[in-house]
Each structure stands twice: as C-alpha cells, then as structure tokens.
Amino acid sequence: MSKELFDNVGKELKSFATVIANIILGTFIVLGGIVLIIGFSIGDGAGFIGLLIAICLFVFGYVYSRLKVMLLYTYGEIADRLISIDTKMPECVKHNKPEKMPVKTVEKKSENKGLRKESGWECSFCGSQNPADAKFCKTCGIENVDI
C-alpha cells in the first residue's frame, strides 16, 4: 500500500462515510420514485397512497442514511482533528520520550516509622523542605511517605 493512502485517514473516513450515506439515500429515492410511478399508473386513488409512501421512503431514507454512517464519520472527524493537532505541535514536543525525564529515586527509610521527625522532612519527589506536621508537600503536593 502506498503511504499517500494513510496520510490523512480522517479525511478519507469522512469522505467514505459521505459516499455511503449518499448511496443509501439514493437507493431510497429510487425506491420512492418507483412506488410513486406504480401508484399513479394503477389509478383509482392509488396515486395518492403511492405519493404518501414515496414521501415516507424519502424521509426514512434520509434519516437512515445519516444514522447509518454517523459513527464512521465521527471516527473520521476525531482522526482528522488529532492529525491537525499533531501537525501544529513543535517537533521537540512530539519526540519527547519519557525515559529522558529526570526521576528522583526514593531511598528506603529506617524502620522507625512510629517516631515523628521534629525537624521537618524533605520531599522525595521535588526535594523541598516541609514542616514536621505537614502530611503533604507544600510545593508539589505529594504525600509524605514517612508518616
């Protein structure tokens, strides 16, 4: 398969959904026209009944064609918008890999978990100093694991 086929899948899905909806609608229009012609060719008031059935087929065909392809069109719209967002992003943001982010390791603390520190504690995530009675870090909001 060529790469051009997959350049903008969202637009392709939306175009395909529109074509399918028009084919379904066209089928119901043709059926309604056939019923209308048959009704008027029979005569004896059948033309009026044929007209009512034809109008019902037109309306039903329109609603059915739209509902039938709505999900496919929605997926196309989502893909189209994601591709649009991706093309607007700078290259440095697109290729930022999580393994390059600095991670601070947490050291195992002593087994004296029942004793409270009186001098405060250092956040294991951001490194800021916090008061001894603080349950959460004042800078980043991480919970104190020593309590």
Side-chain angles (χ1 to χ4, degrees):
M1 294 257 163
S2 67
K3 186 180 181 317
E4 294 85 28
L5 180 66
F6 300 108
D7 279 343
N8 196 340
V9 178
K11 285 185 180 176
E12 294 293 325
L13 279 172
K14 291 192 304 186
S15 298
F16 184 69
T18 304
V19 167
I20 296 296
N22 290 334
I23 290 172
I24 293 171
L25 180 60
T27 304
F28 278 97
I29 288 174
V30 169
L31 286 174
I34 291 171
V35 167
L36 188 63
I37 291 171
I38 291 173
F40 278 117
S41 66
I42 293 175
D44 295 332
F48 181 71
I49 295 172
L51 178 66
L52 290 177
I53 292 173
I55 290 173
C56 289
L57 280 173
F58 295 154
V59 171
F60 178 76
Y62 178 78
V63 172
Y64 182 74
S65 68
R66 296 299 172 232
L67 290 177
K68 193 71 173 172
V69 296
M70 197 177 289
L71 186 63
L72 181 62
Y73 192 89
T74 303
Y75 281 132
E77 183 70 22
I78 291 169
D80 195 22
R81 289 183 185 207
L82 285 176
I83 290 169
S84 173
I85 291 170
D86 195 36
T87 56
K88 292 177 185 174
M89 283 181 126
E91 286 297 317
C92 61
V93 175
K94 286 182 191 177
H95 301 294
N96 190 8
K97 296 181 179 171
E99 58 263 13
K100 291 183 180 178
M101 293 175 59
V103 177
K104 201 168 193 178
T105 58
V106 179
E107 302 163 359
K108 254 191 170 178
K109 304 294 178 185
S110 65
E111 296 299 319
N112 298 335
K113 290 185 180 180
L115 301 176
R116 273 201 134 167
K117 293 182 183 178
E118 296 299 324
S119 63
W121 55 277
E122 179 181 344
C123 178
S124 59
F125 184 72
C126 68
S128 66
Q129 291 294 326
N130 295 288
D133 60 342
K135 186 174 180 179
F136 296 96
C137 176
K138 65 183 177 185
T139 305
C140 65
I142 297 294
E143 187 175 3
N144 183 7
V145 294
D146 291 337
I147 294 182

